[in-house]
């Protein structure tokens, strides 16, 4: 009898990803008067709240259906309905975003069915919109939870009400910083076109100091804007990996024939040029002069700093789309993205890197996907990079290697200002270029026997 084949189990140590419901919670925090609700144990909600608060330095409420041992055995339907009741009474939201956790998915709760029954039983009451999204952490990363929540929100709410096209553009920017979102809205405003962006936590997770506590912060994408997405001129979804998956933009194209454009994240000149070309094509307007000037100053900075960054070697890690964008930017300034690593498992990372880096095959760039920080560390130590670039989760590795870490993306837990980093556009590229150049200069300066003070 043939011996039974066994699949080798590969444990994860110090994961290079976060849980799926975290990404979904972030999306729901970017919708006006919305409350995220995790269907599972209290610990999931507490963990995600703590993680988001540490990065954004803002209060974050995330509700929970509060599973117990009994609920795990007999199902969580009653808990979920009670949680919805309590949220409506205490917050009065326009939308409740229900994301599942590992526990509720494992026991097989029919969350959409439970919500349908709740709405039928309470049809006499004006209930908020309720969006459900399946986000078990054992089958995806926080980015997959993020994009899934965006898609399910649009699928649940978007409508086509007019025979013509409304004068606005749908924007699905991906998981960027609040400062990035504000910059995007500024760009569309300068083009003279309205944008309906999902999500938009530029104010809800980076707002001014409050005189008194608010249960739901001001800001976010109004629900009416999401409903109107079926009438838009076009949709723009950012991310070269995202183009290979189901997305809100593709759903609107299929359902309402809204044209969908899919540029990458606009990091660096090359990808930002693509983004501005898309906006110009949709609006029929040229790039505003102020961005042409920003582009010109950026090229001048590239020329000034090229001798400091040329042929420096970097380890890039994080979400797949962020890694592709950063690698594209690094290669255009002369830095070699010697290793590009992600916990994502789309299978498209290498192909997308090859598309944005002209001499990819000649550079001998190492690509790792589906990895954790142990694997990233083992590979990094063999190549002696000049710096690491990614979230603060790589700090332990950078410290162990005595290599500078440039903090970008999410999460940044050990520095101030993570929410205020501008990554995108010519403006973001300028900030990143200065940061990288000065990191390399400081590293050489600190290790120099003379400690030069003039360049």
């Amino acid at each position: 009898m043939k011996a039974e084949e066994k699949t080798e189990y590969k444990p994860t140590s110090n994961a290079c990803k976060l849980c799926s419901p975290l990404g979904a919670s972030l999306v729901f925090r970017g919708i006006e008067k919305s409350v995220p609700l995790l269907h599972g144990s209290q610990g999931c909600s507490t963990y995600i709240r703590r993680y988001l608060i540490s990065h954004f330095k803002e209060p974050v409420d995330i509700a929970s259906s509060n599973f117990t041992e009994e609920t795990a055995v007999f199902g969580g339907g009653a808990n979920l309905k009670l949680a919805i009741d309590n949220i409506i009474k205490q917050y009065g939201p326009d939308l409740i975003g229900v994301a599942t956790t590992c526990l509720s998915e494992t026991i097989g709760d029919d969350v959409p069915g439970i919500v349908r029954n709740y709405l039928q039983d309470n049809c006499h009451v004006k209930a908020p919109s309720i969006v459900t999204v399946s986000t078990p952490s054992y089958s995806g990363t926080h980015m997959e939870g993020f994009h899934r929540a965006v898609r399910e929100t649009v699928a649940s709410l978007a409508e086509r009400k007019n025979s013509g096209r409304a004068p606005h553009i749908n924007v699905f920017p991906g998981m960027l910083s609040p400062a990035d979102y504000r910059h995007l809205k500024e760009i569309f405003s300068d083009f003279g076109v309205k944008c309906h962006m999902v999500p938009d936590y530029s104010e809800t997770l980076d707002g001014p100091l409050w005189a008194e506590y608010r249960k739901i912060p001001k800001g976010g994408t109004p629900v009416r804007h999401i409903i109107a997405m079926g009438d838009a001129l076009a949709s723009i979804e950012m991310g070269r990996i995202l183009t290979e998956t189901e997305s809100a933009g593709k759903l609107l194209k299929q359902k309402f024939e809204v044209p969908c454009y899919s540029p990458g994240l606009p990091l660096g000149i090359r990808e930002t040029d693509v983004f501005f070309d898309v906006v110009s094509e949709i609006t029929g307007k040229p790039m505003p002069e102020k961005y042409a000037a920003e582009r010109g100053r950026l090229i001048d900075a590239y020329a000034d700093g090229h001798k400091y960054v040329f042929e420096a070697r970097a380890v890039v890690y994080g979400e797949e789309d962020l890694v592709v964008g950063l690698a594209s930017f690094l290669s255009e300034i002369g830095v070699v993205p010697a290793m590009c690593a992600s916990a994502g498992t789309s299978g498209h990372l290498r192909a997308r890197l090859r598309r944005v880096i002209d001499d990819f095959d000649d550079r001998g760039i190492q690509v790792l996907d589906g990895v954790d920080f142990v694997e990233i560390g083992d590979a990094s130590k063999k190549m002696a990079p000049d710096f690491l670039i990614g979230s603060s989760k790589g700090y332990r590795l950078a410290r162990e290697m005595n290599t500078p870490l440039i903090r970008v993306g999410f999460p940044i837990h050990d520095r101030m200002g993570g929410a205020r980093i501008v990554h995108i556009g010519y403006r973001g590229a300028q900030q990143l270029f200065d940061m990288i150049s000065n990191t390399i200069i400081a590293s050489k300066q600190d290790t120099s026997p003379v400690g030069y003070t003039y360049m």
Side-chain angles (χ1 to χ4, degrees):
M1 185 175 178
K2 190 176 180 180
E4 183 180 349
E5 293 184 2
K6 293 184 178 180
T7 301
E8 183 180 353
Y9 173 70
K10 179 183 175 184
T12 297
S13 300
N14 193 9
C16 187
K17 64 178 180 178
L18 305 168
C19 68
S20 297
L22 184 148
S25 297
L26 193 53
V27 170
F28 294 132
R29 287 288 299 184
I31 298 174
E32 186 179 57
K33 296 191 71 176
S34 169
V35 176
L37 167 58
L38 299 189
H39 186 42
S41 68
Q42 183 66 46
C44 295
S45 174
T46 302
Y47 152 70
I48 291 173
R49 286 180 62 249
R50 180 68 187 88
Y51 226 87
L52 294 176
I53 290 169
S54 182
H55 175 84
F56 292 104
K57 306 296 188 290
E58 297 281 355
V60 177
D61 283 3
I62 298 176
S64 172
S65 58
N66 201 15
F67 267 45
T68 63
E69 291 86 349
E70 181 181 349
T71 315
V73 174
F74 297 106
N79 283 48
L80 181 55
K81 292 177 181 179
L82 179 59
I84 294 173
D85 275 338
N86 288 335
I87 291 171
I88 293 173
K89 290 175 184 176
Q90 295 180 35
Y91 290 87
D94 288 347
L95 182 140
I96 299 174
V98 182
T100 58
T101 64
C102 298
L103 185 53
S104 58
E105 288 279 352
T106 300
I107 67 174
D109 264 354
D110 178 13
V111 175
I114 294 169
V115 170
R116 281 195 301 271
N117 290 338
Y118 174 86
L119 294 173
Q120 290 170 2
D121 294 342
N122 294 273
C123 58
H124 60 286
V125 179
K126 188 178 185 306
S129 300
I130 302 178
V131 175
T132 64
V133 56
S134 173
T135 51
S137 285
Y138 49 72
S139 66
T141 68
H142 57 294
M143 281 308 303
E144 290 171 278
F146 184 99
H147 291 310
R148 200 171 295 155
V150 173
R151 187 180 189 279
E152 291 304 317
T153 300
V154 171
S156 298
L157 301 177
E159 299 176 4
R160 180 74 187 274
K161 292 188 174 182
N162 303 305
S163 56
R165 290 294 173 190
H168 67 261
I169 298 173
N170 302 326
V171 181
F172 305 108
M175 193 172 164
L176 298 171
S177 74
D180 287 324
Y181 285 180
R182 287 192 290 270
H183 187 37
L184 276 174
K185 290 190 290 184
E186 177 188 359
I187 290 171
F188 284 100
S189 177
D190 289 335
F191 267 96
V193 64
K194 294 179 180 178
C195 74
H196 291 185
M197 188 163 68
V198 178
D200 178 13
Y201 43 79
S202 60
E203 294 180 62
T204 59
L205 288 174
D206 190 26
L209 184 66
W210 299 344
E212 58 184 29
Y213 181 73
R214 299 170 184 166
K215 291 183 179 180
I216 301 180
K218 291 182 180 179
T221 308
V223 171
R224 68 180 184 278
H225 283 188
I226 305 174
I227 293 173
M229 283 186 157
D231 291 323
L233 286 171
S235 298
I236 300 177
E237 55 181 16
M238 299 179 188
R240 293 192 176 273
I241 301 296
L242 179 61
T243 61
E244 301 295 335
T245 64
E246 293 183 355
S247 65
K250 295 179 186 64
L251 182 145
L252 289 169
K253 181 178 181 180
Q254 179 181 12
K255 195 173 180 180
F256 303 116
E257 298 182 342
V258 178
C260 181
Y261 296 79
S262 302
L265 288 180
L267 275 72
I269 291 177
R270 174 174 174 163
E271 294 289 80
T272 301
D273 284 350
V274 172
F275 168 72
F276 272 103
D277 286 345
V278 166
V279 180
S280 292
E281 180 180 341
I282 296 170
T283 62
K285 299 178 181 179
M287 179 181 8
E289 178 57 34
K290 84 180 205 182
Y291 299 106
E294 285 184 1
R295 187 181 190 276
R297 287 193 294 270
L298 178 59
I299 293 174
D300 181 63
Y302 279 11
D304 293 339
H306 183 67
K307 60 185 177 182
Y308 303 113
V309 302
F310 180 66
E311 291 298 302
R313 295 171 61 79
V315 168
V316 190
Y317 62 87
E319 300 90 9
E320 289 177 296
D321 273 319
L322 180 63
V323 167
V324 173
L326 287 172
S328 173
F329 164 65
L330 292 172
S331 65
E332 79 180 20
I333 66 174
V335 173
V336 180
M339 187 175 76
C340 299
S342 176
T345 56
S346 71
H348 301 293
L349 182 58
R350 179 180 294 275
R352 291 297 167 263
L353 287 166
R354 182 175 280 113
R355 180 172 294 183
V356 299
I357 301 174
D358 294 332
D359 55 353
F360 176 86
D361 293 313
D362 298 330
R363 290 286 192 177
I365 296 171
Q366 187 173 1
V367 180
L368 302 176
D369 52 11
V371 293
D372 59 22
F373 276 105
V374 172
E375 294 163 300
I376 293 172
D378 290 343
S380 298
K381 292 167 187 175
K382 296 176 182 177
M383 60 179 55
D386 293 284
F387 64 91
L388 282 66
I389 183 166
S391 74
S392 66
K393 282 178 68 67
Y395 170 67
R396 183 186 300 176
L397 172 60
R399 182 181 175 90
E400 184 180 340
M401 294 175 59
N402 194 28
T403 302
L405 170 63
I406 297 175
R407 293 162 175 81
V408 297
F410 176 90
I412 297 176
H413 288 162
D414 59 347
R415 292 290 187 275
M416 289 292 295
R420 293 183 290 277
I421 297 174
V422 180
H423 305 80
I424 64 167
Y426 306 122
R427 192 176 304 171
Q430 183 69 76
Q431 292 188 17
L432 290 176
F433 181 76
D434 291 344
M435 191 186 310
I436 291 168
S437 300
N438 287 330
T439 296
I440 294 172
I441 292 169
S443 178
K444 292 180 178 179
Q445 186 180 29
D446 292 344
T447 56
S448 167
V450 294
Y452 57 87
T453 58
Y454 184 82
M455 300 190 307

